[in-house]
Amino acid sequence: MQTFKQYLHPLYRDVDKVADFSDLKNLSTLEEEEYPNLKRVVHIKRDSIKNLIQRLEQLQEELEHQISLIDTESDLDERAAAKKIYNQILSKIREIVDRTNNEIIALDSPYFGKIQFKPYDSRAEKPLSLYIGKFALIDEQTHIPLITDWRSPVANLYYQNSGPKDDVSFQAPSGERKGDLLQKRQFQISRGRISGIYDAKSGNVAADEFLLSQLNERLGKKLQDIVSTIQAQQNEIIRDGLNKPILIQGVAGSGKTTILLHRLAYIFYAYKEQISSNNSLIIAPNQMFIDYVSDVLPNLGVSKVDTETYLFWGKSVLGWDNRFTISNKKPNLDIKAYKGSLEFLDILERYFEKFEEDLLENIPYSRRDIIEKRYYELKKEFPNIDMTERLDLAMDYAFAKKQFKQGRTGFYDATNDIDMNLKRDISSYFRRKCNIYSLYRDLFKTDLVNKEVSKYSLEGLTQSGGIRNYRMEDLAPMVYLHLKINGTKPYEKDYVMVDEAQDMSFVELATLIMVSKAGNITIAGDLAQSIIAPFYIRDWDDVINLVKDITKKDTEYYQLQRCYRTTIEIVDFANKIFEGRFPKSYKLPEAVLRHGDEVGILEYDRDIKDLGKDKIEELVSLIKDQFKKGAVTCALLCRDRDHADTLYSIFKEYEDVIERQVVSYKEFDYKGGLQVLPVENAKGLEFDTVIFADLNSNYYGEDELSIRLLYVGITRALHRVFVVTKKDDSVTEVLLKD
């Protein structure tokens, strides 16, 4: 029999053990006060989980029965009916698994906060006591809320106030409610047991202690939710309204990605009648990043959000399969920058207008003037209709007008077949001319671009044996033309989230803005972390203006300065290097709370690849020591892929000594062990320990890109950083010793 329990959170095996509180001893006064409520909630969750697992087992048996029917049924109709029922049961199983996992998450840590609020408009003597958690829980018998969802309006009191405060308010469905916040209490709960209670008071350190305890627990995990420690500014962004573009500039470790994901979870909750997770899109920089963030939304009760790189999303819009491949020809960075620029976006718009004009003027039909006139009438009167629909409507209008005229004159003949053939010919003409790949290639045969750009572009846009090649910077312009011709409606998303946007081109961003319904797009990035040449975006103002041009809406801009990821020592080390090397308008990270080891500088007389066995073993010993100290993930960050491949081949030989897996960036998974990867691939990720490899003049310089790579690399670390350099090297002298 098929079993689906393998997809359940492992804690499902221990639900009875978690719900057995007979082992509690020597409780503090606060614990004595709080455990009765926790026991009540855990028992409810245990019963719910056991009922769901029982239902899962029943569905597994029903599924097995349908499999036997499918295998033995000879009647085709009966077999088709059995398959239909099989798929329905499978869908129910998926739903039960998701629900069970949400309940297990809630059993493990049912809530993280508590507030006592005394409303001014209440006659009750007792204040409202509300526990805040990931998911709401209502007592089925009393209908009293046992847990309040973190996204609810009243939970805003928890996030916006550092402690008890008079005269606070929140926006309830019935209107604003004012009162006094009498208590804010924070909990650390794991496996249904309280490991910490913090009574936050305005101006005291309890809130910081709670935040610090959460940050110190981040060891070797994929990105986790932060519902228990959302800070006031983060909360403001998460809860910002719908139907407005948002742009977040945040320093490394400020929580940009986490905010994006929590904002999605919030708006799916607050605006569930207006937007759907099934029709939302997250654009991420690479596959490893997608794996790294994959647990957050499911842990917040959100599933089925499409998370893609721009490459995969763009190809899906165009309907391309593997016959369309990225050219392996060497890129020209200047031309690549140009083809992602605002200037090139303007050229694409002018090219489209010229194409539209030529297309209409050359319709193979004697009455093309009627089609052309009607087309432009429709464009003026109904600007939201896409080009292909306008063409079809204008063509139908021209033929209907012809038939109407014939009817009025009393002239009838067998023209229907002729008209149908003419319409097929015109439609074929439209399809042929609107082939995006050919249309885009033809751009470089016009005088809209110079000869150098045209020659270079046509060399990358080649066809051979059914394979069509293109350079990566050509994808977004083709998506743009496709959307101009076919419209955005088929691709429109209720919400679009774009992370690491600083490395995207203006044309890429334009296409994503175009498909965001009602301007529902949040763009996040850090200009200092732009490390993929060429650097398209120098100033967010250009992006804000682009958003306004497309959506006709103003963008809400947020700037995040506090770094929650790494320690004060690492941030201070980084800022000494970067101060004066970034534009004056850029504000460097501000460290938060956490102290740790000083950054280690390891000097050798040559590159790592050329070190003798004894020196390599020194580095291996250092790496092994990191895991002994509790690290789960350790990153060896390299200049580029060739550098990473070389060092991976060296350290892979020492996997048994390190006693951890040595992982290549080519595996795409974020996992424990020593990950050997280019800095570019580490963008947006975090590791317990970072070893920055070969910071010397053979790989780096004093140029802008080298500085940015160093910035990104150092700020990936949660706890410790080591920089491997070469003695008496110019880069080492300048960057680390001035």
Side-chain angles (χ1 to χ4, degrees):
M1 179 186 293
Q2 291 188 70
T3 177
F4 292 86
K5 289 183 180 179
Q6 60 183 312
Y7 301 110
L8 295 178
H9 189 293
L11 191 60
Y12 86 88
R13 300 183 184 92
D14 298 328
V15 292
D16 285 323
K17 187 175 181 180
V18 172
D20 180 6
F21 289 89
S22 60
D23 60 340
L24 293 182
K25 296 176 182 178
N26 303 318
L27 298 180
S28 67
T29 303
L30 283 181
E31 288 173 335
E32 291 279 5
E33 179 185 337
E34 291 295 349
Y35 259 113
N37 184 73
L38 182 58
K39 289 179 184 178
R40 184 181 182 186
V41 169
V42 167
H43 287 154
I44 291 172
K45 290 298 176 186
R46 174 202 57 192
D47 294 344
S48 176
I49 291 166
K50 294 182 82 168
N51 288 335
L52 286 168
I53 290 176
Q54 185 178 7
R55 178 60 181 143
L56 178 63
E57 290 170 346
Q58 291 171 351
L59 288 170
Q60 286 177 172
E61 291 179 3
E62 292 176 22
L63 192 73
E64 195 71 18
H65 176 64
Q66 291 305 127
I67 292 172
S68 65
L69 288 179
I70 293 168
D71 288 341
T72 58
E73 185 60 64
S74 58
D75 184 276
L76 293 180
D77 290 338
E78 292 295 330
R79 189 168 184 170
K83 286 182 178 179
K84 183 178 180 180
I85 295 172
Y86 171 89
N87 289 328
Q88 290 171 346
I89 295 171
L90 198 59
S91 179
K92 288 179 183 177
I93 286 174
R94 292 192 189 102
E95 180 186 339
I96 293 293
V97 167
D98 288 344
R99 285 176 57 195
T100 307
N101 282 332
N102 285 343
E103 292 292 274
I104 294 170
I105 291 168
L107 173 84
D108 179 37
S109 183
Y111 48 82
F112 51 81
K114 175 186 177 183
I115 57 173
Q116 288 190 345
F117 177 64
K118 179 70 174 174
Y120 294 153
D121 58 5
S122 173
R123 294 181 181 179
E125 293 184 8
K126 285 188 175 182
L128 293 172
S129 284
L130 300 171
Y131 289 86
I132 314 295
K134 289 181 189 176
F135 309 111
L137 177 63
I138 305 293
D139 189 304
E140 292 183 359
Q141 295 179 342
T142 65
H143 301 291
I144 294 173
L146 299 176
I147 303 175
T148 298
D149 193 294
W150 69 276
R151 296 165 290 189
S152 67
V154 70
N156 210 26
L157 294 174
Y158 173 86
Y159 292 113
Q160 290 301 106
N161 299 284
S162 59
K165 188 178 180 181
D166 294 340
D167 196 23
V168 298
S169 66
F170 70 96
Q171 199 65 37
S174 59
E176 186 180 41
R177 295 196 71 185
K178 293 185 177 182
D180 297 331
L181 182 64
L182 305 181
Q183 183 188 74
K184 175 179 176 177
R185 181 169 284 177
Q186 297 167 299
F187 301 93
Q188 280 181 282
I189 300 175
S190 178
R191 294 180 67 88
R193 299 295 183 272
I194 297 172
S195 57
I197 301 178
Y198 304 81
D199 269 329
K201 296 178 181 178
S202 297
N204 79 355
V205 298
D208 286 348
E209 288 176 354
F210 180 71
L211 175 60
L212 182 60
S213 69
Q214 301 297 306
L215 294 175
N216 281 331
E217 285 186 357
R218 290 164 65 181
L219 276 171
K221 298 177 180 177
K222 292 182 180 181
L223 191 66
Q224 302 293 302
D225 68 79
I226 59 164
V227 289
S228 63
T229 58
I230 294 171
Q231 303 298 289
Q233 187 184 20
Q234 296 173 332
N235 182 61
E236 182 184 357
I237 302 171
I238 289 168
R239 293 174 183 263
D240 205 342
L242 204 61
N243 301 331
K244 62 189 295 189
I246 292 174
L247 196 153
I248 305 169
Q249 159 60 39
V251 299
S254 58
K256 297 182 295 298
T257 301
T258 312
I259 290 170
L260 290 182
L261 299 174
H262 284 68
R263 175 161 171 74
L264 268 183
Y266 170 76
I267 59 179
F268 293 151
Y269 171 90
Y271 303 99
K272 52 181 168 285
E273 302 301 324
Q274 296 168 252
I275 67 169
S276 165
S277 62
N278 292 342
N279 193 42
S280 295
L281 173 68
I282 301 172
I283 293 294
N286 53 56
Q287 289 297 324
M288 184 177 284
F289 182 92
I290 291 173
D291 181 65
Y292 172 62
V293 305
S294 61
D295 289 346
V296 177
L297 287 175
N299 285 343
L300 294 173
V302 177
S303 59
K304 300 177 183 177
V305 178
D306 192 17
T307 305
E308 300 280 6
T309 62
Y310 187 89
L311 172 63
F312 281 92
W313 176 77
K315 288 184 70 172
S316 69
V317 168
L318 294 169
W320 285 2
D321 55 24
N322 291 332
R323 289 174 294 179
F324 292 84
T325 62
I326 297 177
S327 172
N328 58 10
K329 293 182 181 295
K330 185 178 179 180
N332 179 312
L333 292 183
D334 290 336
I335 295 177
K336 185 175 182 178
Y338 172 72
K339 287 162 73 175
S341 67
L342 292 170
E343 181 183 350
F344 193 70
L345 197 57
D346 182 62
I347 286 173
L348 289 172
E349 188 64 29
R350 285 189 281 140
Y351 177 60
F352 171 75
E353 290 173 0
K354 183 68 169 62
F355 161 72
E356 186 179 44
E357 181 182 320
D358 292 343
L359 180 74
L360 293 166
E361 288 180 355
N362 293 286
I363 294 172
Y365 182 49
S366 60
R367 293 180 175 85
R368 62 176 171 270
D369 57 323
I370 300 174
I371 297 178
E372 184 176 1
K373 181 182 177 184
R374 183 57 179 162
Y375 176 91
Y376 284 116
E377 287 174 351
L378 289 168
K379 186 175 183 180
K380 183 178 180 180
E381 191 173 352
F382 304 102
N384 292 328
I385 295 178
D386 62 77
M387 179 184 182
T388 52
E389 189 173 356
R390 282 197 299 270
L391 288 170
D392 288 340
L393 288 171
M395 180 175 64
D396 289 343
Y397 172 83
F399 280 93
K401 188 173 182 179
K402 173 190 172 185
Q403 291 168 4
F404 179 72
K405 183 179 179 180
Q406 290 174 341
R408 289 186 63 187
T409 60
F411 176 77
Y412 293 98
D413 61 9
T415 60
N416 186 56
D417 290 344
I418 296 172
D419 285 353
M420 289 298 293
N421 289 332
L422 277 171
K423 288 175 77 172
R424 275 196 293 269
D425 289 343
I426 296 170
S427 295
S428 176
Y429 164 77
F430 287 156
R431 287 195 302 272
R432 187 170 65 254
K433 289 295 183 181
C434 291
N435 178 279
I436 296 300
Y437 187 85
S438 299
L439 177 63
Y440 182 64
R441 285 186 84 249
D442 289 344
L443 165 62
F444 302 104
K445 300 173 184 178
T446 70
D447 58 2
L448 288 171
V449 290
N450 66 43
K451 291 181 179 179
E452 182 186 1
V453 173
S454 294
K455 181 176 182 296
Y456 167 83
S457 299
L458 291 172
E459 287 173 353
L461 293 162
T462 57
Q463 303 180 58
S464 176
I467 300 297
R468 292 169 175 80
N469 296 306
Y470 62 97
R471 289 188 170 94
M472 185 59 201
E473 68 267 21
D474 292 317
L475 179 63
M478 285 189 273
V479 173
Y480 183 82
L481 290 174
H482 180 86
L483 295 175
K484 292 291 291 185
I485 291 171
N486 298 285
T488 59
K489 282 291 181 183
Y491 316 101
E492 190 174 72
K493 298 294 181 181
D494 290 344
Y495 213 101
V496 177
M497 294 283 190
V498 185
D499 204 0
E500 300 293 339
Q502 73 277 352
D503 282 319
M504 300 192 73
S505 76
F506 287 102
V507 185
E508 287 174 330
L509 287 173
T511 59
L512 293 167
I513 297 165
M514 290 165 72
V515 300
S516 61
K517 181 180 178 181
N520 281 330
I521 186 168
T522 296
I523 299 169
D526 180 11
L527 294 179
Q529 294 187 66
S530 185
I531 58 173
I532 301 177
F535 308 134
Y536 295 106
I537 301 170
R538 299 284 180 169
D539 192 321
W540 289 122
D541 285 345
D542 291 329
V543 175
I544 290 170
N545 291 333
L546 177 64
V547 172
K548 188 168 186 177
D549 287 344
I550 296 173
T551 66
K552 311 306 177 189
K553 295 183 178 184
D554 291 326
T555 298
E556 194 75 48
Y557 178 78
Y558 292 96
Q559 186 158 323
L560 303 172
Q561 292 303 121
R562 306 191 80 193
C563 174
Y564 297 95
R565 174 184 296 138
T566 195
T567 64
I568 291 171
E569 287 74 16
I570 294 172
V571 171
D572 287 347
F573 174 83
N575 286 348
K576 286 177 184 177
I577 296 173
F578 308 129
E579 191 171 10
R581 290 190 166 97
F582 287 149
K584 291 182 180 179
S585 60
Y586 185 81
K587 296 180 180 179
L588 293 170
E590 298 172 6
V592 175
L593 297 173
R594 211 157 53 87
H595 282 281
D597 297 342
E598 295 291 340
V599 174
I601 308 296
L602 308 175
E603 288 191 325
Y604 295 101
D605 59 2
R606 62 194 69 188
D607 295 342
I608 292 175
K609 66 180 177 61
D610 298 321
L611 292 176
K613 185 178 180 182
D614 57 334
K615 298 299 182 185
I616 291 291
E617 288 176 351
E618 277 184 19
L619 285 173
V620 168
S621 178
L622 170 73
I623 293 165
K624 184 175 182 178
D625 191 50
Q626 300 311 299
F627 295 116
K628 285 183 177 179
K629 289 180 177 179
V632 178
T633 57
C634 181
L636 183 63
L637 298 184
C638 309
R639 175 61 180 83
D640 52 31
R641 294 183 178 188
D642 289 341
H643 191 200
D645 289 340
T646 299
L647 296 192
Y648 171 75
S649 65
I650 292 171
F651 286 92
K652 185 68 174 176
E653 297 294 321
Y654 291 89
E655 197 168 51
D656 291 341
V657 178
I658 296 171
E659 297 179 352
R660 292 293 191 282
Q661 189 176 2
V662 178
V663 184
S664 167
Y665 66 93
K666 295 175 182 177
E667 294 190 30
F668 297 128
D669 292 333
Y670 180 86
K671 58 178 71 172
L674 176 65
Q675 299 226 12
V676 186
L677 68 168
V679 178
E680 176 183 317
N681 289 56
K683 186 176 63 168
L685 308 179
E686 58 188 25
F687 306 90
D688 299 323
T689 298
V690 163
I691 301 171
F692 198 95
D694 290 324
L695 181 63
N696 62 57
S697 54
N698 287 340
Y699 295 96
Y700 298 91
E702 299 172 50
D703 58 289
E704 182 181 19
L705 178 56
S706 293
I707 299 298
R708 289 170 184 261
L709 287 168
L710 183 57
Y711 172 75
V712 171
I714 288 175
T715 56
R716 297 308 93 203
L718 283 164
H719 304 291
R720 288 175 291 276
V721 168
F722 297 89
V723 179
V724 181
T725 71
K726 194 156 63 170
K727 294 177 182 177
D728 303 321
D729 185 87
S730 58
V731 168
T732 303
E733 292 288 334
V734 171
L735 295 183
L736 300 184
K737 295 184 179 179
D738 61 6

